[in-house]
């Protein structure tokens, strides 16, 4: 009889774990869909991210700024 109880508890644990994993995967998929939709809307509106190149820390002001090019 204890073996049956252990099997039932193990089955319930596996079921609960699979449900938790499924919810996590669905949440990640939804987040990816929302990110893609936001990128799509931004591209349609003409917003493109600005490429600043490499940044360096300016200790005088405490912020990061684009690296000065020596050209």
């Amino acid at each position: 009889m204890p073996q049956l109880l252990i099997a039932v508890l193990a089955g319930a644990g596996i079921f609960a774990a699979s449900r938790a994993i499924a919810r996590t995967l669905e949440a990640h998929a939804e987040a990816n869909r929302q990110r893609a939709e936001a990128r799509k809307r931004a591209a349609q509106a003409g917003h493109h991210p600005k490429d600043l190149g490499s940044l360096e820390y300016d200790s005088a002001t405490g912020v990061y700024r684009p690296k000065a090019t020596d050209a």
Side-chain angles (χ1 to χ4, degrees), residues 52-67:
L52 297 176
S54 298
L55 300 177
E56 62 184 351
Y57 184 73
D58 183 2
S59 59
T61 60
V63 297
Y64 285 89
R65 300 192 184 276
K67 266 190 179 175

Side-chain angles (χ1 to χ4, degrees), residues 7 9 12 15-16 19 24 30 35 44 46 49 53-54 61 65 68 70:
L9 289 175
F15 178 74
R19 296 275 304 183
T24 302
E30 179 62 25
R35 239 182 259 117
Q44 288 174 346
S54 298
T61 60
R65 300 192 184 276
D70 297 331

Side-chain angles (χ1 to χ4, degrees), residues 9-27:
L9 289 175
I14 291 171
F15 178 74
S18 67
R19 296 275 304 183
I21 291 169
R23 279 193 301 267
T24 302
L25 292 175
E26 288 173 7

Side-chain angles (χ1 to χ4, degrees), residues 25-39:
L25 292 175
E26 288 173 7
H28 283 285
E30 179 62 25
N32 287 337
R33 280 192 294 273
Q34 289 177 354
R35 239 182 259 117
E37 181 64 29
R39 275 192 226 109

